[in-house]
Amino acid sequence: MTDVLQQAPAIPAPRRRGFRLGRVVDHAVLILGALFMLVPLLVVLQTTTTSDLDTIKHGPQLVIGDQMGANFKSAMFKASGFSGENTGVSMLANSLILGLGFALGKILIGMMAAYALVYFRLRFATFAFWLIFTTLLLPLEVRILPSYEIAQKLGLLNSYTGLIVPLIASATATFFFRQFFRSVPEELVEAARIDGAGPVKFFIDILIPLSQTMIAAMFIIMFVFGWNQYLWPTMITTDESMYTLVRGIKQLTQDLEGTNIPEYGRANMLALIAILPPVLVVIFFQSWFVKGLTDSDK
Amino acid sequence: MKRAGFTTRWLPMLLLLPQLAIITIFFYWPAAHAVQSSFFLQDPFGFGATFVGFDNYTDLAASSEYLKIARFTLLFTLLVTFFSLALALLLAVKADNVIRGAKTYRTLLMWVYAVAPPVAGFIGLIMFNQSWGPLTEAARAIGWDFKLGVNFTDTAAAMVLVSVWKQVPVNFIFFLSGLQSIPKAVREAALIDNGSATSRFWGVTFPLLAPTGFFLLIVNITYALFDTFGIVDTMVKGEPGNNPMTLVYKVYVDGFRGNDLGGSSAQSVVLMVLVLALTVFQFRLIDRRIHYT
């Protein structure tokens, strides 16, 4: 790392005229970095435009093929798996349900709990705080098997409830909202009380409108997080009509093995469809997204 | 709690109820269950369980396979953390320097954040395809006969590369916003004080970035330990065999495929202790600068 960083030559600050080697190096490094991130996507994109035979014969080329429509059609509508119920459309729908349900559920429950913790005199507030706080420490991955057993006991396998609700069992959103509510001036709640507003009215008419940006940022982060879930959907959904796109990726890699003509075009198209919604959300809302991610210590 | 809060009694309990109910059922119950079943030997066919005390743990400590996987996980974590932090820091410093195209670079460098780990693994499989993968061909060009899924080292190298690719954007976002929050006055003072860009970086910028860097260190260790599950699972194509795997993947393989519930639970508990230790370490050192992500 040291070597690379030292490549930037020392330019005396006041004399910035003529050929700026430093600038050129800056851009060169950034362009290389951008290519490092982008090239794999371009390779995937190229295979979606090519017929499978061409891909198998030559691998990804520099030309854009004309098979994109055909590959898109087979990715979205061709049934696969044993049950024949597993199409791109059904996986896309399941991914959307998971992403939206997770984001909305988490925000709703998180805001309610944060409101209770910040604005009420509760005897067991500290205890509740620590109960909730501890959930930030253990990721789902380490308690995956017992979580699965419990979901099974409760009859939640292959249901949207089983897919979404257990994922909400960590309190990240509660903490973001708690931090945010604590930064809201106290005079507001005093004024509201003098005006005769009750706690419910204050929450709905004042606090929620104030939190709009925060809610939007949370929504974006949580949607991406929910959409991208893999381990839990893999365990909880065995019924192919319940697969999400990200869950379906495993199926895809297995489908590519042992077939005469592996359907690279179709598989890459599905991977692309799994990538696009969260990536577009992040690109379009980047300033909110970055704010939500990094401004947590208000 | 705010000083001028409300005093209603039942409302806050009602508000807290959904959160507490969900974490009790889906967090505390499973966590307790994991600890409990780590002391039992479960019959694979579901006919009861026998209490075996610490046997599952001593078995783990004595298992050469488990130790091998632990060693691999350690190396994997070190490599992924180091390369994704170093690369992201370099890119963030450069992106902070440029004015023209800054936003474009930021977009191009951060979009991978939103790619799901198994999809990243899938892209890895495409890039390293045995017969035509561009990276396999690149390796061949320098005389490296790259065999993903066959050769242990090759598969491990591909896993590290994909994991780094997936993690650079997160670190980049944090480093860049850390750099941009350095006050202008500090930068100007540094410019007057110090002629060389390198010594300015190590003497002024780097120490100011240290809290961000430390926070990211913990985030990256957690990422390499847990969030790479999808990458590992896709890249070994669900066939552990002789392929490299991480501790979390082993929990899944033993418990879900091998039906060794006791052993898998003991592994879960070991990981829980590891995470708790990391968290305590983090709080001790960064004190009040806590980021919840």
Side-chain angles (χ1 to χ4, degrees):
Chain A
M1 187 178 73
T2 320
D3 293 342
V4 188
L5 283 171
Q6 279 168 347
Q7 277 175 7
I11 320 163
R15 285 183 287 117
R16 284 209 182 162
R17 260 175 283 126
F19 182 62
R20 297 166 188 170
L21 187 60
R23 274 300 124 82
V24 175
V25 173
D26 286 350
H27 283 282
V29 170
L30 286 168
I31 289 167
L32 281 178
L35 282 178
F36 174 65
M37 303 319 283
L38 270 178
V39 164
L41 182 77
L42 297 178
V43 169
V44 168
L45 197 61
Q46 201 277 333
T47 18
T48 64
T49 68
T50 325
S51 75
D52 296 330
L53 271 175
D54 279 348
T55 304
I56 295 160
K57 270 189 212 147
H58 315 290
Q61 301 294 305
L62 285 173
V63 288
I64 298 167
D66 55 358
Q67 296 296 306
M68 201 162 196
N71 282 325
F72 181 76
K73 229 182 240 167
S74 71
M76 287 310 263
F77 304 110
K78 196 179 150 190
S80 64
F82 298 111
S83 64
E85 288 173 63
N86 185 17
T87 61
V89 174
S90 78
M91 289 197 280
L92 187 65
N94 288 332
S95 284
L96 279 173
I97 292 172
L98 174 58
L100 294 175
F102 174 78
L104 292 175
K106 197 136 186 173
I107 288 171
L108 185 70
I109 289 169
M111 274 189 97
M112 282 163 60
Y115 183 50
L117 286 175
V118 175
Y119 282 95
F120 291 87
R121 288 166 220 270
L122 264 179
R123 219 177 304 148
F124 61 94
T126 324
F127 178 65
F129 173 81
W130 281 105
L131 267 185
I132 296 170
F133 181 78
T134 319
T135 62
L136 295 179
L137 308 183
L138 293 183
L140 178 69
E141 281 84 356
V142 304
R143 52 192 160 86
I144 189 74
L145 272 167
S147 299
Y148 172 78
E149 284 177 65
I150 283 156
Q152 191 186 28
K153 262 184 213 164
L154 298 173
L156 293 176
L157 300 191
N158 290 314
S159 72
Y160 289 121
T161 320
L163 192 59
I164 296 168
V165 177
L167 285 175
I168 297 179
S170 90
T172 31
T174 311
F175 278 86
F176 278 110
F177 282 114
R178 180 177 166 272
Q179 298 293 100
F180 177 73
F181 289 165
R182 281 156 69 106
S183 73
V184 172
E186 292 201 12
E187 289 73 22
L188 270 177
V189 70
E190 279 165 21
R193 286 182 76 189
I194 292 165
D195 281 355
V200 177
K201 201 173 162 48
F202 174 73
F203 186 51
I204 293 172
D205 287 352
I206 297 171
L207 209 53
I208 291 182
L210 268 180
S211 321
Q212 262 172 6
T213 329
M214 186 68 192
I215 294 174
M218 278 288 94
F219 184 83
I220 290 157
I221 292 174
M222 295 300 167
F223 174 78
V224 171
F225 189 79
W227 177 284
N228 284 347
Q229 282 301 308
Y230 176 62
L231 180 55
W232 185 247
T234 303
M235 302 196 70
I236 203 88
T237 58
T238 45
D239 189 341
E240 284 170 358
S241 63
M242 288 293 293
Y243 279 12
T244 62
L245 277 168
V246 174
R247 162 74 177 92
I249 289 293
K250 192 173 182 175
Q251 189 84 40
L252 290 179
T253 52
Q254 280 159 353
D255 284 353
L256 290 179
E257 301 282 303
T259 347
N260 282 338
I261 303 172
E263 295 173 293
Y264 287 113
R266 177 169 167 263
N268 282 345
M269 181 58 92
L270 277 166
L272 197 65
I273 299 170
I275 292 175
L276 276 182
V279 165
L280 290 182
V281 162
V282 163
I283 289 177
F284 280 124
F285 298 103
Q286 28 180 311
S287 53
W288 275 0
F289 164 80
V290 172
K291 202 169 149 48
L293 206 63
T294 52
D295 272 10
S296 51
D297 54 345
K298 274 195 182 127
Chain B
M1 198 184 73
K2 300 244 172 185
R3 256 185 310 113
F6 295 101
T7 43
T8 331
R9 261 163 188 275
W10 53 269
L11 187 67
M13 293 187 199
L14 212 66
L15 287 169
L16 275 170
L17 193 68
Q19 174 80 274
L20 291 179
I22 290 178
I23 63 176
T24 309
I25 298 171
F26 294 108
F27 183 88
Y28 284 102
W29 189 8
H33 196 65
V35 175
Q36 187 206 11
S37 53
S38 74
F39 294 108
F40 285 86
L41 188 65
Q42 221 108 18
D43 186 284
F45 300 103
F47 299 117
T50 359
F51 182 77
V52 290
F54 281 93
D55 278 11
N56 287 321
Y57 292 96
T58 46
D59 283 356
L60 272 192
S63 153
S64 64
E65 198 208 348
Y66 188 72
L67 293 180
K68 192 183 145 203
I69 292 170
R71 265 200 302 275
F72 174 74
T73 309
L74 182 70
L75 182 69
F76 176 79
T77 308
L78 282 175
L79 290 173
V80 171
T81 305
F82 175 76
F83 283 114
S84 44
L85 280 175
L87 213 54
L89 182 59
L90 170 70
L91 290 168
V93 169
K94 298 297 176 202
D96 188 43
N97 276 350
V98 305
I99 299 153
R100 206 180 296 263
K103 198 163 175 241
T104 314
Y105 284 127
R106 192 179 76 169
T107 310
L108 290 176
L109 289 167
M110 71 181 266
W111 67 274
V112 176
Y113 165 87
V115 175
V119 181
F122 175 83
I123 294 177
L125 289 178
I126 295 292
M127 296 299 285
F128 283 109
N129 183 293
Q130 196 49 58
S131 39
W132 48 258
L135 288 176
T136 315
E137 282 175 5
R140 237 171 243 156
I142 56 163
W144 180 0
D145 187 18
F146 202 96
K147 285 199 163 75
L148 182 73
V150 179
N151 182 302
F152 186 94
T153 321
D154 291 356
T155 315
M159 267 180 199
V160 170
L161 182 69
V162 174
S163 305
V164 169
W165 180 72
K166 171 81 189 83
Q167 185 65 6
V168 163
V170 177
N171 297 339
F172 172 76
I173 294 166
F174 277 95
F175 274 136
L176 187 61
S177 64
L179 282 167
Q180 287 176 344
S181 68
I182 295 175
K184 237 187 156 169
V186 175
R187 288 165 186 253
E188 277 160 8
L191 264 177
I192 295 165
D193 257 19
N194 225 322
S196 142
T198 315
S199 68
R200 263 204 314 273
F201 176 78
W202 291 112
V204 181
T205 317
F206 193 74
L208 283 172
L209 270 187
T212 312
F214 185 75
F215 159 73
L216 284 178
L217 186 67
I218 304 280
V219 167
N220 280 268
I221 293 174
T222 320
Y223 162 79
L225 283 174
F226 302 109
D227 297 341
T228 50
F229 179 93
I231 295 176
V232 176
D233 191 31
T234 327
M235 293 196 79
V236 304
K237 297 175 190 164
E239 289 160 16
N242 185 37
N243 278 319
M245 59 172 142
T246 55
L247 288 172
V248 171
Y249 197 61
K250 172 94 173 137
V251 172
Y252 168 77
V253 168
D254 282 6
F256 207 57
R257 299 267 192 79
N259 260 324
D260 173 16
L261 292 182
S264 169
S265 300
Q267 293 179 32
S268 284
V269 176
V270 169
L271 285 177
M272 286 187 203
V273 172
L274 199 68
V275 186
L276 287 178
L278 267 176
T279 315
V280 171
F281 180 65
Q282 177 185 7
F283 278 99
R284 276 286 163 83
L285 283 168
I286 14 180
D287 209 7
R288 288 191 302 118
R289 269 193 69 87
I290 315 162
H291 301 253
Y292 302 103
T293 356

